[in-house]
Amino acid sequence: MKPAPFDYAKPSTLEEAFDLLEAHGEDARVVAGGQSLLATLNMRLSAPSILVDISGLEALRGISAGSNVLRIGALTTHTELIASEEAARAAPLLRKAAVHIAHPAIRNRGTFGGSLAHADPAAEYPACVVALDATLEISGRDGSRRVAAAEFFHGLYETDLKPGELLAAVEVPVLQDGFRSGFGEFARRAGDFAMSALAAHGRFDGDEVHDLRLVYAGVDIRPVRANRAEAVLAGKAITRELVAEARSRLAEDLNPTDDLQAGGATKLLLSGVLLERVLSDMAGAR
Amino acid sequence: MTDKSPLTLEDLPNSYIGRTIPRPNIRRLAEGRGTFTDDLTLPRMAHVAFLRSPYAHAEIKSIDTAQAETSPGVIRIVAGEEMSRYCTPWVGVLTHLKGLKSAPQFALAVGRVRWQGEPVVAVVAQSRAQAEDAVALVEVDYEPLPPVVDMETALAPETPVLHPELGDNLAFERVVEAGDVDAAFAEADAVAEEVLHFGRHTGVTLEPRVLVGDYNAGAGKLTVYMSTQSPHMMKNIFATHTGIDEDDVRVISKDVGGSFGIKIHTYPDDMATVALSVMLKRPVKFVADRLESFVSDIHARDHRVKAKIAVKDGKITAIEMDDLTGIGPYSVYPRTSAVECNQVLNLVGGPYDFANYRAVGRVVLQNKNIMCQYRAVGHPVAFGVTEALVDSAARAAGMDPAALRRNSVIPDDSYPYTAASGIKFEALSHQESLEKILKLMDYEGLRADQAKLRQEGVYRGIGLAAMIEVTNPSPMFYGVGGAHISARDGVTIRLDPTGGVTCATGVTEQGQGTEAVIAQIAASAIGVPIEKVRVVTGDTETTPYGGGTWASRGAGIAGEAALQAGRALRANILEVAGAMLQAEPDRLDIRNAAVVDADTGSERMTLADLGKTVYFRGNELPDGVSPELVATRHYSPRQFPFAFTNGVQACWLEVDPDTGFVKLLDFWVVEDCGTVINPQLVDEQIRGGVVQGIGAALYEHCIYDEDGNMRNATMADYLVPMAAEMPDITIEHVETPTGESVLGAKGVGEAGTAGAPAAVFNAINDAIGALGGKITAIPATPELILKALGKV
């Protein structure tokens, strides 16, 4: 379990980082917390010639909340995000999800931006940023660009990031009156990858739910919105019967494939249970 | 607790038996100051990495190492043919397992590979990383062959034969027939049948397998530093297969980070490492990494059992069963891979009083990783089958499962007792243990809670599992079949002129506390504070010859040797003291490291003063006194092949019928391992074992695809039990000492693992039975439970 030889560089400015990424092209890999990358290196599933360690880039750090937007630097660790009261007020979904991520030792090192850029289909944050309609800020040699979360995740470990670019920060709309979030996950053991996870976000007007986003992780090659289930619920009062109807549409929204922990049918069933339980929690959370 | 111990006669100031004493090595280990084999760096030490077969079954057409030879740091690259000149092959059979057959196994595959993970090429380099770099450059041309994966079809005529010279894939078959089984079933009031599957899993030691072979050509001596349970056995094996005189081989086991039966076998990569050291005349280190551990450490279980049970007049009267197990391509050397099946046949029905038993066991070869003995060999299968049958029989007979057990366990007043399978019990306490656990868990109260909660849609279950455990094995286990595995173990105890006591023993410390137990017994037997005692283990050159640690034998066998050696040394000391003090030795005693008047307790001479006189001023001793301040005693059980223990375990859990997820709520154990030497160590052994058994019941599974590839060979995908999901485990004891030794201790290392899977399995079925569900396999994954409920 020794990685193939690689060089290591730790830039202290974005410019230096871009220079390194430009010079080494596809032979370079960006490392932040290293919680996914180092395991793949040790298993020799990946053998980059150089690791560009971005953990020294101050521009990618910090959490700040404005009146409309919560900005989370890409290097924010899971532990920092869980501990942040600002983040908990502005985007409570993130803390609800982050406590499902692995174990404390991993949460101390793994980063918010790293999880998004890695785009593991069973990871919690990608589903959350889609549910929250967040915007991802991407830095490149020629400046930054902004991408809606829903457009960022292309496929299995594939994102909108182009060679030489870095995910700098994520902007999440601050929770407005009436909005509520819910999160649920099934994993074989606490901290394991999700068999299915649901990030839900919507506005409640009395019993009625509006602008609902139901985003699943662990059931496809990227986060999936349950559009048909959302449509059943849109603008209506949450009742047991209505949720059951929404659940019955999930088979059209989701097409989970078999993996080592469960077959697709089981994952679909678990996704349906999540829908019922998460919506029940949200409807009851007045 | 010590009231029943025969040691109460010397239960004076230094009696540590029956007391929780912190392990002498715990602070060193907790502070990170242990020395594990991988911590060892020797001058000129090289590192080996192995290219392993990516195929379950293939011909090796050619091996090209040209490019790898030029890789930086490479010292030597060796494949099977060349290796076979330095390390002869071995065959894992024993004569008392009649008919057992296996084929010669080589350190590196010759001609054909037979499991995914089998070592094919060894690359020795200056560093492990360089060795791995070069491994990636070795080119092997394989011609894949059809793999034999499914044990159910391994014996079918159209299935390829793994070793053509063996004729077929049947490694071992055994039949047991006792009483009149057919008549018992014909007369039964109720009959239940089950087909049960026990998933293949493995040991997952925290410290992986690791060894350093160090051949010193100048001295003609081979030293092997190795994380092992059995140094003397490995010494014999290394000598036998490298051709070095056994007396010139030394095996040293430093701290061991868990073993569970994984580190007691002959592994081809270990053998290759030692042979490479001989070949290169320099130290060579091999550390199995986590990925290769999964496909090279022995696996265990993987049984399919068809069984049925008969009940008449509310009592079990007969069991019939057919066990099939697939062991991979070779029977493992030297203990063989027939032992697990053999144990299953011996142990099924073990806690119960019935006379009619028919069992067939078949062990087949297949293209999966090798399988062999792992903690509680065969026991989880045997009690998984037995206890599932008992619960099914109770349902069929309309009885409460506790009541059927109460009616059927072997009565406490009926010993010695010979079971239908032929195994012999000296003295057990099933009735007392069962009553104790039912009270401990408040069985009736739980049943009431269960019924009430069911009205609210909450599905909880109670699982009971009675069990026995094979401990303190006699020579009948291995030695009788021709294996050079010692059933005897010895302890040498020495008093130094400092008053300090050093014990050397052939049993080994794996992290379970052997050294603490030996120190407690020696200190008690001599009469010294435990702080004065040092224990040396794990070195074939400095410890008495012995078998090491397996089959829960450390406390029962080496513990008795320590007691006898301590008593002998005490007698020697008192003889010298009597001569020096002009007193009758039997009027003297040793307390707190001083010779005292037995009657008054007044101190006459410290042991340090006695030692100083003996060693430095022997001229002061009276004529004719020949002090021997060293004593050695050995012990091996002889009256019974094994000292069986017994116990009952119980699980209380909740199943979420919507998701199939299981939440463990509570777990209880009542265990009778004879004399308890250190209650904390005993209880933690049981808890650790229960957790490992819960792993088998709910999580651990080596998942193979139809091509014979293990699909989940990483710690992310192979699920071990973890703290967050574990219940509290409450333990109580009954103590029935074995009369074969003075100490009376039996083993306890495997009891938890033996019974826990059955308790969890039965609890799940007790919970989902109300919904018409029933599982028939472990691990019981959420999906398995959902399928049992007809939800997917």
Side-chain angles (χ1 to χ4, degrees), chain B residues 155-193:
Chain B
L155 300 178
E158 64 275 15
T159 300
V161 174
L162 262 74
H163 306 284
E165 68 271 30
L166 298 183
D168 59 27
N169 292 328
L170 182 65
F172 180 68
E173 186 168 27
R174 184 183 162 204
V175 179
V176 178
E177 177 91 37
D180 190 340
V181 176
D182 295 331
F185 276 98
E187 293 165 7
D189 299 332
V191 171
E193 276 190 73

mmCIF file of all heavy atoms in Angstrom, chain B residues 155-193:
data_model
loop_
_atom_site.group_PDB
_atom_site.id
_atom_site.type_symbol
_atom_site.label_atom_id
_atom_site.label_comp_id
_atom_site.label_asym_id
_atom_site.label_seq_id
_atom_site.Cartn_x
_atom_site.Cartn_y
_atom_site.Cartn_z
ATOM 1 N N LEU B 155 -18.705 -30.573 -6.779
ATOM 2 C CA LEU B 155 -18.536 -32.014 -6.970
ATOM 3 C C LEU B 155 -19.259 -32.535 -8.209
ATOM 4 O O LEU B 155 -19.224 -33.732 -8.492
ATOM 5 C CB LEU B 155 -19.027 -32.757 -5.720
ATOM 6 C CG LEU B 155 -18.294 -32.407 -4.421
ATOM 7 C CD1 LEU B 155 -18.898 -33.158 -3.241
ATOM 8 C CD2 LEU B 155 -16.807 -32.718 -4.538
ATOM 9 N N ALA B 156 -19.929 -31.641 -8.955
ATOM 10 C CA ALA B 156 -20.667 -32.077 -10.147
ATOM 11 C C ALA B 156 -19.682 -32.581 -11.203
ATOM 12 O O ALA B 156 -18.566 -32.084 -11.311
ATOM 13 C CB ALA B 156 -21.492 -30.923 -10.695
ATOM 14 N N PRO B 157 -20.097 -33.603 -11.967
ATOM 15 C CA PRO B 157 -19.165 -34.201 -12.924
ATOM 16 C C PRO B 157 -18.639 -33.215 -13.969
ATOM 17 O O PRO B 157 -17.506 -33.354 -14.428
ATOM 18 C CB PRO B 157 -19.993 -35.308 -13.581
ATOM 19 C CG PRO B 157 -21.351 -35.257 -13.008
ATOM 20 C CD PRO B 157 -21.391 -34.275 -11.897
ATOM 21 N N GLU B 158 -19.431 -32.208 -14.319
ATOM 22 C CA GLU B 158 -18.984 -31.276 -15.359
ATOM 23 C C GLU B 158 -18.074 -30.179 -14.800
ATOM 24 O O GLU B 158 -17.528 -29.379 -15.542
ATOM 25 C CB GLU B 158 -20.193 -30.660 -16.086
ATOM 26 C CG GLU B 158 -21.108 -29.789 -15.222
ATOM 27 C CD GLU B 158 -22.160 -30.597 -14.466
ATOM 28 O OE1 GLU B 158 -22.034 -31.840 -14.361
ATOM 29 O OE2 GLU B 158 -23.115 -29.968 -13.960
ATOM 30 N N THR B 159 -17.920 -30.144 -13.481
ATOM 31 C CA THR B 159 -17.089 -29.106 -12.868
ATOM 32 C C THR B 159 -15.609 -29.469 -13.017
ATOM 33 O O THR B 159 -15.228 -30.613 -12.764
ATOM 34 C CB THR B 159 -17.446 -28.966 -11.378
ATOM 35 O OG1 THR B 159 -18.819 -28.601 -11.283
ATOM 36 C CG2 THR B 159 -16.589 -27.905 -10.702
ATOM 37 N N PRO B 160 -14.780 -28.509 -13.430
ATOM 38 C CA PRO B 160 -13.345 -28.810 -13.551
ATOM 39 C C PRO B 160 -12.767 -29.245 -12.199
ATOM 40 O O PRO B 160 -13.235 -28.815 -11.145
ATOM 41 C CB PRO B 160 -12.731 -27.469 -13.977
ATOM 42 C CG PRO B 160 -13.864 -26.645 -14.473
ATOM 43 C CD PRO B 160 -15.096 -27.127 -13.791
ATOM 44 N N VAL B 161 -11.765 -30.088 -12.240
ATOM 45 C CA VAL B 161 -11.093 -30.556 -11.029
ATOM 46 C C VAL B 161 -9.876 -29.660 -10.780
ATOM 47 O O VAL B 161 -9.059 -29.442 -11.668
ATOM 48 C CB VAL B 161 -10.676 -32.032 -11.183
ATOM 49 C CG1 VAL B 161 -9.840 -32.485 -9.992
ATOM 50 C CG2 VAL B 161 -11.918 -32.909 -11.325
ATOM 51 N N LEU B 162 -9.777 -29.115 -9.572
ATOM 52 C CA LEU B 162 -8.704 -28.158 -9.280
ATOM 53 C C LEU B 162 -7.325 -28.783 -9.367
ATOM 54 O O LEU B 162 -6.394 -28.185 -9.898
ATOM 55 C CB LEU B 162 -8.891 -27.564 -7.867
ATOM 56 C CG LEU B 162 -9.574 -26.213 -7.837
ATOM 57 C CD1 LEU B 162 -11.056 -26.351 -8.121
ATOM 58 C CD2 LEU B 162 -9.359 -25.532 -6.494
ATOM 59 N N HIS B 163 -7.195 -29.953 -8.796
ATOM 60 C CA HIS B 163 -5.909 -30.656 -8.807
ATOM 61 C C HIS B 163 -6.144 -32.005 -9.487
ATOM 62 O O HIS B 163 -6.663 -32.923 -8.846
ATOM 63 C CB HIS B 163 -5.395 -30.866 -7.382
ATOM 64 C CG HIS B 163 -5.304 -29.606 -6.582
ATOM 65 N ND1 HIS B 163 -4.299 -28.686 -6.755
ATOM 66 C CD2 HIS B 163 -6.111 -29.109 -5.605
ATOM 67 C CE1 HIS B 163 -4.486 -27.679 -5.907
ATOM 68 N NE2 HIS B 163 -5.576 -27.903 -5.212
ATOM 69 N N PRO B 164 -5.785 -32.117 -10.757
ATOM 70 C CA PRO B 164 -6.106 -33.357 -11.486
ATOM 71 C C PRO B 164 -5.613 -34.607 -10.756
ATOM 72 O O PRO B 164 -6.295 -35.644 -10.775
ATOM 73 C CB PRO B 164 -5.370 -33.172 -12.816
ATOM 74 C CG PRO B 164 -5.279 -31.684 -12.993
ATOM 75 C CD PRO B 164 -5.153 -31.112 -11.618
ATOM 76 N N GLU B 165 -4.489 -34.516 -10.052
ATOM 77 C CA GLU B 165 -3.951 -35.709 -9.392
ATOM 78 C C GLU B 165 -4.831 -36.199 -8.240
ATOM 79 O O GLU B 165 -4.686 -37.325 -7.772
ATOM 80 C CB GLU B 165 -2.514 -35.459 -8.911
ATOM 81 C CG GLU B 165 -2.359 -34.454 -7.768
ATOM 82 C CD GLU B 165 -2.197 -33.003 -8.219
ATOM 83 O OE1 GLU B 165 -2.732 -32.624 -9.296
ATOM 84 O OE2 GLU B 165 -1.520 -32.243 -7.491
ATOM 85 N N LEU B 166 -5.730 -35.328 -7.750
ATOM 86 C CA LEU B 166 -6.613 -35.745 -6.655
ATOM 87 C C LEU B 166 -7.857 -36.471 -7.166
ATOM 88 O O LEU B 166 -8.587 -37.089 -6.396
ATOM 89 C CB LEU B 166 -7.045 -34.542 -5.816
ATOM 90 C CG LEU B 166 -5.944 -33.764 -5.103
ATOM 91 C CD1 LEU B 166 -6.550 -32.646 -4.249
ATOM 92 C CD2 LEU B 166 -5.090 -34.672 -4.224
ATOM 93 N N GLY B 167 -8.145 -36.340 -8.435
ATOM 94 C CA GLY B 167 -9.286 -37.058 -9.017
ATOM 95 C C GLY B 167 -10.598 -36.305 -8.948
ATOM 96 O O GLY B 167 -11.392 -36.336 -9.869
ATOM 97 N N ASP B 168 -10.856 -35.601 -7.830
ATOM 98 C CA ASP B 168 -12.087 -34.821 -7.716
ATOM 99 C C ASP B 168 -11.859 -33.659 -6.756
ATOM 100 O O ASP B 168 -10.738 -33.465 -6.266
ATOM 101 C CB ASP B 168 -13.268 -35.698 -7.267
ATOM 102 C CG ASP B 168 -13.011 -36.372 -5.921
ATOM 103 O OD1 ASP B 168 -12.227 -35.818 -5.115
ATOM 104 O OD2 ASP B 168 -13.589 -37.439 -5.672
ATOM 105 N N ASN B 169 -12.912 -32.915 -6.490
ATOM 106 C CA ASN B 169 -12.777 -31.723 -5.629
ATOM 107 C C ASN B 169 -13.225 -31.973 -4.189
ATOM 108 O O ASN B 169 -13.425 -31.033 -3.428
ATOM 109 C CB ASN B 169 -13.579 -30.552 -6.214
ATOM 110 C CG ASN B 169 -12.982 -30.043 -7.518
ATOM 111 O OD1 ASN B 169 -11.766 -30.087 -7.713
ATOM 112 N ND2 ASN B 169 -13.834 -29.580 -8.432
ATOM 113 N N LEU B 170 -13.400 -33.239 -3.835
ATOM 114 C CA LEU B 170 -13.817 -33.561 -2.463
ATOM 115 C C LEU B 170 -12.566 -33.711 -1.587
ATOM 116 O O LEU B 170 -11.777 -34.632 -1.770
ATOM 117 C CB LEU B 170 -14.628 -34.856 -2.436
ATOM 118 C CG LEU B 170 -15.150 -35.274 -1.056
ATOM 119 C CD1 LEU B 170 -16.170 -34.273 -0.521
ATOM 120 C CD2 LEU B 170 -15.767 -36.675 -1.111
ATOM 121 N N ALA B 171 -12.399 -32.798 -0.650
ATOM 122 C CA ALA B 171 -11.223 -32.860 0.213
ATOM 123 C C ALA B 171 -11.442 -33.777 1.404
ATOM 124 O O ALA B 171 -10.529 -34.478 1.849
ATOM 125 C CB ALA B 171 -10.855 -31.464 0.712
ATOM 126 N N PHE B 172 -12.660 -33.777 1.936
ATOM 127 C CA PHE B 172 -12.903 -34.526 3.173
ATOM 128 C C PHE B 172 -14.390 -34.786 3.319
ATOM 129 O O PHE B 172 -15.217 -33.959 2.929
ATOM 130 C CB PHE B 172 -12.402 -33.701 4.367
ATOM 131 C CG PHE B 172 -12.601 -34.350 5.713
ATOM 132 C CD1 PHE B 172 -11.888 -35.496 6.071
ATOM 133 C CD2 PHE B 172 -13.490 -33.814 6.645
ATOM 134 C CE1 PHE B 172 -12.061 -36.089 7.315
ATOM 135 C CE2 PHE B 172 -13.664 -34.397 7.899
ATOM 136 C CZ PHE B 172 -12.941 -35.543 8.230
ATOM 137 N N GLU B 173 -14.686 -35.934 3.880
ATOM 138 C CA GLU B 173 -16.078 -36.283 4.129
ATOM 139 C C GLU B 173 -16.142 -37.054 5.439
ATOM 140 O O GLU B 173 -15.270 -37.873 5.732
ATOM 141 C CB GLU B 173 -16.600 -37.166 2.988
ATOM 142 C CG GLU B 173 -18.085 -37.460 3.093
ATOM 143 C CD GLU B 173 -18.632 -38.082 1.811
ATOM 144 O OE1 GLU B 173 -17.844 -38.725 1.092
ATOM 145 O OE2 GLU B 173 -19.830 -37.917 1.532
ATOM 146 N N ARG B 174 -17.139 -36.750 6.244
ATOM 147 C CA ARG B 174 -17.284 -37.480 7.501
ATOM 148 C C ARG B 174 -18.768 -37.714 7.770
ATOM 149 O O ARG B 174 -19.595 -36.844 7.477
ATOM 150 C CB ARG B 174 -16.678 -36.674 8.656
ATOM 151 C CG ARG B 174 -16.708 -37.439 9.991
ATOM 152 C CD ARG B 174 -16.180 -36.606 11.143
ATOM 153 N NE ARG B 174 -16.624 -37.211 12.404
ATOM 154 C CZ ARG B 174 -16.758 -36.557 13.550
ATOM 155 N NH1 ARG B 174 -16.463 -35.258 13.600
ATOM 156 N NH2 ARG B 174 -17.158 -37.163 14.633
ATOM 157 N N VAL B 175 -19.054 -38.869 8.299
ATOM 158 C CA VAL B 175 -20.428 -39.230 8.642
ATOM 159 C C VAL B 175 -20.479 -39.608 10.112
ATOM 160 O O VAL B 175 -19.591 -40.315 10.601
ATOM 161 C CB VAL B 175 -20.912 -40.426 7.779
ATOM 162 C CG1 VAL B 175 -22.330 -40.812 8.163
ATOM 163 C CG2 VAL B 175 -20.823 -40.078 6.306
ATOM 164 N N VAL B 176 -21.482 -39.116 10.806
ATOM 165 C CA VAL B 176 -21.699 -39.497 12.203
ATOM 166 C C VAL B 176 -23.107 -40.085 12.298
ATOM 167 O O VAL B 176 -24.051 -39.526 11.729
ATOM 168 C CB VAL B 176 -21.606 -38.271 13.148
ATOM 169 C CG1 VAL B 176 -21.880 -38.696 14.594
ATOM 170 C CG2 VAL B 176 -20.248 -37.606 13.036
ATOM 171 N N GLU B 177 -23.239 -41.196 12.978
ATOM 172 C CA GLU B 177 -24.568 -41.801 13.144
ATOM 173 C C GLU B 177 -24.651 -42.316 14.571
ATOM 174 O O GLU B 177 -23.787 -43.074 15.010
ATOM 175 C CB GLU B 177 -24.739 -42.944 12.124
ATOM 176 C CG GLU B 177 -26.045 -43.705 12.231
ATOM 177 C CD GLU B 177 -27.151 -43.122 11.352
ATOM 178 O OE1 GLU B 177 -26.852 -42.666 10.246
ATOM 179 O OE2 GLU B 177 -28.319 -43.100 11.811
ATOM 180 N N ALA B 178 -25.650 -41.870 15.293
ATOM 181 C CA ALA B 178 -25.804 -42.329 16.673
ATOM 182 C C ALA B 178 -27.283 -42.506 16.985
ATOM 183 O O ALA B 178 -28.116 -41.709 16.537
ATOM 184 C CB ALA B 178 -25.195 -41.328 17.646
ATOM 185 N N GLY B 179 -27.615 -43.548 17.701
ATOM 186 C CA GLY B 179 -28.998 -43.795 18.099
ATOM 187 C C GLY B 179 -29.843 -44.228 16.910
ATOM 188 O O GLY B 179 -29.329 -44.735 15.917
ATOM 189 N N ASP B 180 -31.139 -44.007 17.001
ATOM 190 C CA ASP B 180 -32.061 -44.380 15.921
ATOM 191 C C ASP B 180 -32.774 -43.114 15.447
ATOM 192 O O ASP B 180 -33.839 -42.748 15.941
ATOM 193 C CB ASP B 180 -33.063 -45.429 16.414
ATOM 194 C CG ASP B 180 -33.871 -46.020 15.252
ATOM 195 O OD1 ASP B 180 -33.925 -45.362 14.177
ATOM 196 O OD2 ASP B 180 -34.432 -47.104 15.421
ATOM 197 N N VAL B 181 -32.139 -42.457 14.494
ATOM 198 C CA VAL B 181 -32.621 -41.148 14.051
ATOM 199 C C VAL B 181 -33.986 -41.269 13.374
ATOM 200 O O VAL B 181 -34.903 -40.495 13.654
ATOM 201 C CB VAL B 181 -31.589 -40.505 13.103
ATOM 202 C CG1 VAL B 181 -32.111 -39.194 12.541
ATOM 203 C CG2 VAL B 181 -30.268 -40.293 13.840
ATOM 204 N N ASP B 182 -34.120 -42.258 12.500
ATOM 205 C CA ASP B 182 -35.371 -42.383 11.748
ATOM 206 C C ASP B 182 -36.551 -42.624 12.687
ATOM 207 O O ASP B 182 -37.616 -42.042 12.526
ATOM 208 C CB ASP B 182 -35.254 -43.512 10.717
ATOM 209 C CG ASP B 182 -34.209 -43.173 9.658
ATOM 210 O OD1 ASP B 182 -34.013 -41.957 9.392
ATOM 211 O OD2 ASP B 182 -33.594 -44.093 9.104
ATOM 212 N N ALA B 183 -36.326 -43.484 13.665
ATOM 213 C CA ALA B 183 -37.405 -43.762 14.614
ATOM 214 C C ALA B 183 -37.758 -42.510 15.403
ATOM 215 O O ALA B 183 -38.932 -42.211 15.638
ATOM 216 C CB ALA B 183 -36.975 -44.883 15.567
ATOM 217 N N ALA B 184 -36.744 -41.746 15.803
ATOM 218 C CA ALA B 184 -37.004 -40.534 16.589
ATOM 219 C C ALA B 184 -37.838 -39.537 15.788
ATOM 220 O O ALA B 184 -38.750 -38.907 16.329
ATOM 221 C CB ALA B 184 -35.677 -39.905 17.032
ATOM 222 N N PHE B 185 -37.527 -39.392 14.515
ATOM 223 C CA PHE B 185 -38.326 -38.463 13.701
ATOM 224 C C PHE B 185 -39.732 -39.016 13.482
ATOM 225 O O PHE B 185 -40.705 -38.266 13.483
ATOM 226 C CB PHE B 185 -37.624 -38.169 12.365
ATOM 227 C CG PHE B 185 -36.609 -37.071 12.486
ATOM 228 C CD1 PHE B 185 -35.259 -37.357 12.645
ATOM 229 C CD2 PHE B 185 -36.999 -35.736 12.490
ATOM 230 C CE1 PHE B 185 -34.319 -36.345 12.782
ATOM 231 C CE2 PHE B 185 -36.071 -34.718 12.625
ATOM 232 C CZ PHE B 185 -34.721 -35.022 12.777
ATOM 233 N N ALA B 186 -39.831 -40.343 13.310
ATOM 234 C CA ALA B 186 -41.157 -40.942 13.096
ATOM 235 C C ALA B 186 -42.051 -40.751 14.318
ATOM 236 O O ALA B 186 -43.260 -40.547 14.185
ATOM 237 C CB ALA B 186 -40.998 -42.430 12.775
ATOM 238 N N GLU B 187 -41.455 -40.777 15.503
ATOM 239 C CA GLU B 187 -42.246 -40.679 16.737
ATOM 240 C C GLU B 187 -42.425 -39.243 17.222
ATOM 241 O O GLU B 187 -43.078 -39.007 18.239
ATOM 242 C CB GLU B 187 -41.522 -41.451 17.867
ATOM 243 C CG GLU B 187 -41.470 -42.945 17.657
ATOM 244 C CD GLU B 187 -40.445 -43.610 18.571
ATOM 245 O OE1 GLU B 187 -39.886 -42.904 19.449
ATOM 246 O OE2 GLU B 187 -40.184 -44.805 18.386
ATOM 247 N N ALA B 188 -41.820 -38.296 16.511
ATOM 248 C CA ALA B 188 -41.769 -36.926 17.038
ATOM 249 C C ALA B 188 -43.150 -36.285 17.107
ATOM 250 O O ALA B 188 -44.016 -36.550 16.278
ATOM 251 C CB ALA B 188 -40.851 -36.083 16.166
ATOM 252 N N ASP B 189 -43.315 -35.402 18.093
ATOM 253 C CA ASP B 189 -44.522 -34.570 18.162
ATOM 254 C C ASP B 189 -44.406 -33.387 17.211
ATOM 255 O O ASP B 189 -45.392 -32.875 16.712
ATOM 256 C CB ASP B 189 -44.699 -34.011 19.581
ATOM 257 C CG ASP B 189 -44.850 -35.116 20.605
ATOM 258 O OD1 ASP B 189 -45.346 -36.202 20.232
ATOM 259 O OD2 ASP B 189 -44.453 -34.898 21.768
ATOM 260 N N ALA B 190 -43.195 -32.924 17.037
ATOM 261 C CA ALA B 190 -42.966 -31.767 16.142
ATOM 262 C C ALA B 190 -41.602 -31.923 15.495
ATOM 263 O O ALA B 190 -40.665 -32.430 16.104
ATOM 264 C CB ALA B 190 -43.033 -30.458 16.935
ATOM 265 N N VAL B 191 -41.558 -31.492 14.232
ATOM 266 C CA VAL B 191 -40.303 -31.549 13.472
ATOM 267 C C VAL B 191 -40.113 -30.196 12.803
ATOM 268 O O VAL B 191 -41.074 -29.586 12.339
ATOM 269 C CB VAL B 191 -40.350 -32.673 12.408
ATOM 270 C CG1 VAL B 191 -39.149 -32.585 11.472
ATOM 271 C CG2 VAL B 191 -40.408 -34.045 13.072
ATOM 272 N N ALA B 192 -38.891 -29.697 12.784
ATOM 273 C CA ALA B 192 -38.608 -28.447 12.060
ATOM 274 C C ALA B 192 -37.379 -28.667 11.193
ATOM 275 O O ALA B 192 -36.480 -29.424 11.557
ATOM 276 C CB ALA B 192 -38.356 -27.306 13.054
ATOM 277 N N GLU B 193 -37.391 -28.001 10.048
ATOM 278 C CA GLU B 193 -36.283 -28.140 9.100
ATOM 279 C C GLU B 193 -35.769 -26.777 8.714
ATOM 280 O O GLU B 193 -36.537 -25.818 8.616
ATOM 281 C CB GLU B 193 -36.778 -28.831 7.820
ATOM 282 C CG GLU B 193 -36.794 -30.326 7.907
ATOM 283 C CD GLU B 193 -37.064 -30.965 6.548
ATOM 284 O OE1 GLU B 193 -36.155 -30.938 5.688
ATOM 285 O OE2 GLU B 193 -38.183 -31.464 6.376
#
